[in-house]
Amino acid sequence: MANVARDTFVVGLSNAHAMEVQARELMERQSERLDEYPEVKAKVVAHLQETNEQLKRLERCLEACGENSSSLKDTTQSVMANMQAMAHSVAGDEILKNTFANNAFENFEIAAYKSLLALCGAAGVAEAKDLLETSLQEEQRMAAWIDSNVEKVTMEYLAHQRQAA
């Protein structure tokens, strides 16, 4: 049972690493296009820094298990993130689409970290718990910020549309 749990944990870590690579790519592309929304841009840039630290934490967890991240998964997620960012960039309501997608993505990340935390004990890697808990808390803060700002971003978008009309 411990091997199954450990194997599941390692696959989860690898998946989480690819997920954070995707998040990093999305935020890098989004931050380039957020000049009209300075508060959102500042939050995205700050979370991008957290994401880079999350990647390092996941790499430490993988190394502690004698594993590395999956280049194939990381590359695939990177390409997907850039395609999503490109698709949203041509939309007139890009900021809204990004806000909705980011809200969903943050909650996906929260679930992934909760799953990894649930596996720590059974996988025999209790030392990973603090690292994963820190990342979970960062994702929860970002998700809460996005959720509490959907209406504000929507109204800012509306104001920009009215000015342009």
Side-chain angles (χ1 to χ4, degrees), residues 34-49:
L34 285 169
D35 291 338
E36 293 182 352
Y37 302 90
E39 185 179 356
V40 176
K41 183 173 185 164
K43 193 67 176 173
V44 167
V45 169
H47 193 55
L48 178 56
Q49 293 171 345

Side-chain angles (χ1 to χ4, degrees), residues 155-165:
M155 297 314 292
E156 284 181 34
Y157 168 76
L158 182 59
H160 288 294
Q161 291 303 107
R162 286 179 175 155
Q163 288 175 349

